[in-house]
Amino acid sequence: MMRNESTPAATTGQKFASWMPALAGTSLGLYISRVVAESFTGSRSTIVLLPLILVCVALGLFMARLMCRWRIRLWPLILLLGYVLYPIPSAVLARGALLFMMTIYAVLYLPHSIKTPWIEVGVLLAALGLYVHTLAPTVLPADSGEFQLVASVLGIAHPPGYALYTMLGKLFTFIPLGDVAYRINLFGALCGTLTLSILVHLVRQASGSTGAALIAAAMLGLSPTFWAQSTTANIRSLTAAFTVLSADLLLHWGEKEEPRYLTAFAACFGLGVGHHTSLGLLGLPFLIYIIARAPRIFVEPHRWIRPLLAFFASFLVLLYLPLRSGMGAPFDPTPIRSWGGFVNHALALGFRGDMFYYHTLPDLAARLRVWAVIMRLQFGRLLPWATLLAGMGGVVPRKSRGTVGLLAGMWAVNTLSAMTYKAPQTVEYLLPSYVAMAALLGCGLGVAKLKMPRWTSALLMAPLVVATAHYGAANYGSFQQLHEDRSARTYAESILKDALPDTLVLSNWHHATVFWYLQTVEDVRPDVEVRYVYPEGDTPNQEVWLKRIEENVDERPVVITNRFHAFQHTDYHWIPIHDAWLVRREPLAQAPKDMVEKEAAFGTKVHMLGYTVEKEELAPGQEIYVRIYWQATGALDRPYSSFVQLLGPQGVVGQDDVAHETDHAPHELQVDTYRFPLLLHTPPGEYQLITGFYYAQNESLKRLPVEGKDHLVLQAIDAHAVEETSATLHQMSQPFANGLRITGVDYDRSVAGQTRIYLHLRQSAPSTKRVQVCLLQGEKPIAQQMVPELSPGTAATLALDVPDDLSTVSLTLATGEGQPIPRLGPWHHPLGENLQLSLPQHAVHYVPLGGEMAFLGLDPLPRSAEPGEDVELASHFLSLRPLKRDYSVSVGLKGQGAKWERKADGTPAMGAIPTLKWIRDWRVRDPRKVIIPDDAPAGTAEATVSVYDAFTLHPLHVLDERLVKEGYGTHLSVDTVQIEE
């Protein structure tokens, strides 16, 4: 039929609308077909894929037609093309695309505000389920252990005492679940979930947006520090609850000006300040908000007298401290016997010197960089910027300026106070600012939504939902591992079990609270006395420990948890007992009952009696503990060293050495402890545990003969595959037809002339054929290695070395018979070309340190420096798993020929981010300044880096066999500085 001349031509928009159902349906169908095809391992031929795609596209078109009939917008379906066109299969991106689309539909079709309290209830239940699922299983170290103890017995915690927390925590001990420590952990979970529920209520009331409130709750609830506090016994989660509840009540008062809300706010804020005095600083933004809302309130006493009384009445809870102390609480390290003692304890006046400790411009600039690192670790890269923009957008409408101003003031005050405070838990002290940030994001986003079309707000909120969900999913694995961690209990129980009667345990705070909990709450070895050794003014800590040892070693058995370098120059004998030491004036009289007898003579100088091994099966990165018992058959004629190695077909995969001087008395029983991890690229299989003795001669090492060899085989050790791939800087998701997937790649150029390529692999399907990885330059093989046999769900790391003058290499997989294994592309269709890897052309590092972290390099150093000058050595680390030990970083400069050396040691990131807070994939920058000596001669100075246990001084081993051969077994030399005249 001919078009009527009077009928206008179809517009471009109308033509596009007519194509919309076909385009949207096809996008949906292609997405479904790709997800289905990639849900199974193996390659998909065209003859299989074509019917699948046709069926799924038909289904997509049918669904698009139904959506048209139901008047549902179709354009969000087109966004699925983002993953359809993505060149590499990725389940993470597939889920992200789906979540992005679903968020847009939720914003388009759900009401802006859902007026029902069930939203807050739903958030509370969901968060509680997550936190209980990842809850710490038992007693925890340090302050957490103390809180578990004081709540159990109604004791007195360290200043400021935490009276309210103690009394509320006691109620949780009556819950018939797990041990008592687990029940106190549940209290932290409830505080965290209440915080999120109140946050949702605050944002919904302030902005009217349910979606924005849920995003705010997810941002806070899935952030690692808040998550950690919500799964352990701690006072921070209750602090966060008081922070958000105070803000919520004050905003209610500001909106409705009902006196009861101001009174409730005053009581809540008073309880919060009484709980932790740092919250008192939030009184400044609170007071400014009150004056802004009611300028004449202070000349109208009837409006403020009742809130003021409620505020001061809330401090009555602090009377618990002197009353309970006077009753003789089971745990009360510093009894309160005077008004001054009560004030000093309740206000924590002993810490007042740490307030505003960092106040100079250089210090503030350095702390600002640390704060930026903390923000990235807590919220990723998108959410902090989104919070800033949302807050700016929330200021525009006049109605929301007061809300945004209050929240911004809370954030600013807490951030300033926490970042200038000298404390090793800055990531935790910033918790109120995290609460304020989440509330700012929610309120600003909710208000901004009202001023823009729905489709615009949908496109604004969808990336935030995806970013929050992705970051939460990335953190989940770490908290699942921590949920299974019982190391604090195992450590304390093992020492208490093997301690002699009436033993005195001298302990650091980290372990002391666990000992006390087990003794007081579970009645484990009450005959053992555990005494916390605390710093005493300017006295060096090692001298304090030696003084305590000297006072007691002649009266009773003494066990210590800490080791210092000064201990080596004493006449005491340090007998290992698990990860601690029994201190004796006399040597060990006899070998322990669990020693495996293995007598052997090493030359004519050493007689070995036996050994113990704590682990006979382990995975790459895990540590093995070995003790060797031996005697010198006569006076040692020279210094000797002993070693223990784990030896396999490919060479040594783990080693530790102990140096011995000539002062060992003949026939005196000696015990050496060896503790070392396996290389991350150790293949599964059986390895030989060997030991030996050696000495230096003419710049070479000579081993003592034993049974006709240069080493003694102790026993076989099994290495099995890991279940999770190593953390990586370059995540990938490249599948192959045999079910093998490359999950990441890292590069290291620490050794001159080489680029080491670490390939992280995961097996997802059974495979009966051996697989070889081959790296090619053009058609020429330059490196190849067999992939270890992996069962489904296990992973491995390969290390391949190539020349450092290459810019790219191609990677291919083949069976042992040489048959190529195709890599898979979209829809798991086989791709013909090899995988191309772009190699770095500059100095990069990825050096595993133990199984804990990887060293990533230093910030560029100045080319030259002068004597007396400060040189900043800023090292970068990547955590390979959630860390459970407190490590110190040591950086230094060593003059040419070792004529001088200066070091700077301490907790990472200016003390702000202790390793006990690290979870997997955290990248932490640790800046330290080293002063060059005034008398340093001209020449080259090496920059050195090492990491060691802050309590035992045990160093993290360098897990790179190439660097170990160059002498870098426990430290690294990574750069140089030229010292000028």
Side-chain angles (χ1 to χ4, degrees), residues 25-49:
T26 301
S27 301
L28 178 60
L30 291 174
Y31 174 85
I32 295 174
S33 67
R34 179 167 179 178
V35 170
V36 170
E38 294 173 359
S39 299
F40 302 94
T41 57
S43 60
R44 304 284 178 267
S45 62
T46 304
I47 196 171
V48 173
L49 285 176

Side-chain angles (χ1 to χ4, degrees), residues 863-869 893-902 931-942 977-981:
R863 293 185 178 180
S864 62
E866 297 179 355
E869 185 178 344
L893 289 174
K894 185 192 304 184
Q896 192 172 9
K899 295 179 180 179
W900 60 270
E901 185 174 12
R902 290 292 185 272
I931 302 176
I932 301 173
D934 293 333
D935 57 351
T940 302
E942 289 184 341
V977 176
Q978 186 66 31
I979 309 300
E980 303 291 347
E981 292 284 355

